[in-house]
Amino acid sequence: MKRSGLPRLLSIAIVVTTLAATACGSDVDPDQALAEGLAQQQAGNAEAAAAKYQQVLDVRPDDKYANYNLGVLEQAEGRTELAEGYYRAALDADPNFQPALFNLAIVRTSAGATQEAVDLYLRVIALDPQNASAHFNVGILLREAGQAKDATTHLNEALELEPSLAGRLLTEPVPPGDQQDVSGSGSSRSPSPTG
């Protein structure tokens, strides 16, 4: 009986794949790199954290945590377009990843995409009805859009869930349609960055 060359071909393919993966730096343990990146981020070493998260993405490009944390780092530096890309990559990996949904809503608000931000906050609320910050932020956006009834519903829910938000509610500007603007300039604000 003649032996097929298939087992030998499979062995060669495994060796070649292993060598290629090693040459590409995949000897990095992505879970360890992720933990080290988080430790660096918590210690305030953004550059070192970003390097660790990039190591994770080199091995697992769809890692939602590495993408999300790189988004947080970029957002903190004011690079919102880059942050948005990382948040969207995290959401490609897990469309219900609440931290990425929440932070993407903040980024989209700052870009003037209010309706998209409202939709994102509503997705967070659908996943976690107890998220007081999402209720608060969507309430502020709806109030600014002149949707007083829906705004009041969300703001009341936010205050019921987290009474300490009352102080922030008092510091949020009243939408231009609800106040008399004597200065000639409109007010601009961003939602709360807490989640």
Side-chain angles (χ1 to χ4, degrees):
M1 184 164 168
K2 187 175 180 182
R3 286 185 81 189
S4 165
L6 187 58
R8 184 159 196 258
L9 285 175
L10 286 175
S11 296
I12 291 171
I14 291 171
V15 170
V16 169
T17 302
T18 303
L19 289 173
T22 302
C24 292
S26 70
D27 57 340
V28 171
D29 176 357
D31 294 325
Q32 180 65 32
L34 190 63
E36 291 171 6
L38 186 57
Q40 291 293 334
Q41 187 174 355
Q42 290 172 338
N45 301 323
E47 206 169 294
K52 288 295 181 181
Y53 296 140
Q54 193 55 57
Q55 286 179 350
V56 174
L57 294 181
D58 289 345
V59 178
R60 282 192 315 227
D62 62 345
D63 188 285
K64 70 181 180 183
Y65 298 107
N67 277 300
Y68 169 76
N69 287 329
L70 281 166
V72 169
L73 293 172
E74 295 295 350
Q75 188 175 0
E77 292 296 319
R79 295 185 290 260
T80 56
E81 288 181 10
L82 290 172
E84 180 177 338
Y86 284 118
Y87 294 144
R88 290 192 187 280
L91 291 169
D92 285 344
D94 180 356
N96 294 323
F97 188 43
Q98 291 177 50
L101 286 168
F102 190 93
N103 283 15
L104 181 57
I106 293 171
V107 167
R108 297 308 295 148
T109 299
S110 68
T114 303
Q115 187 56 56
E116 183 182 0
V118 166
D119 293 342
L120 289 163
Y121 285 126
L122 291 175
R123 282 179 58 194
V124 171
I125 292 166
L127 294 166
D128 178 12
Q130 304 300 308
N131 190 316
S133 293
H135 279 288
F136 183 86
N137 288 354
V138 79
I140 295 298
L141 292 175
L142 291 171
R143 183 176 74 175
E144 288 180 349
Q147 298 178 30
K149 183 178 179 186
D150 290 337
T152 300
T153 299
H154 284 285
L155 291 170
N156 285 339
E157 183 68 22
L159 294 175
E160 184 177 316
L161 292 167
E162 185 59 51
S164 67
L165 291 173
R168 286 191 12 223
L169 185 58
L170 297 174
T171 63
E172 292 295 325
V174 177
D178 293 351
Q179 70 180 5
Q180 189 173 23
D181 185 4
V182 293
S183 68
S185 65
S187 63
S188 172
R189 41 114 350 261
S190 294
S192 163
T194 59

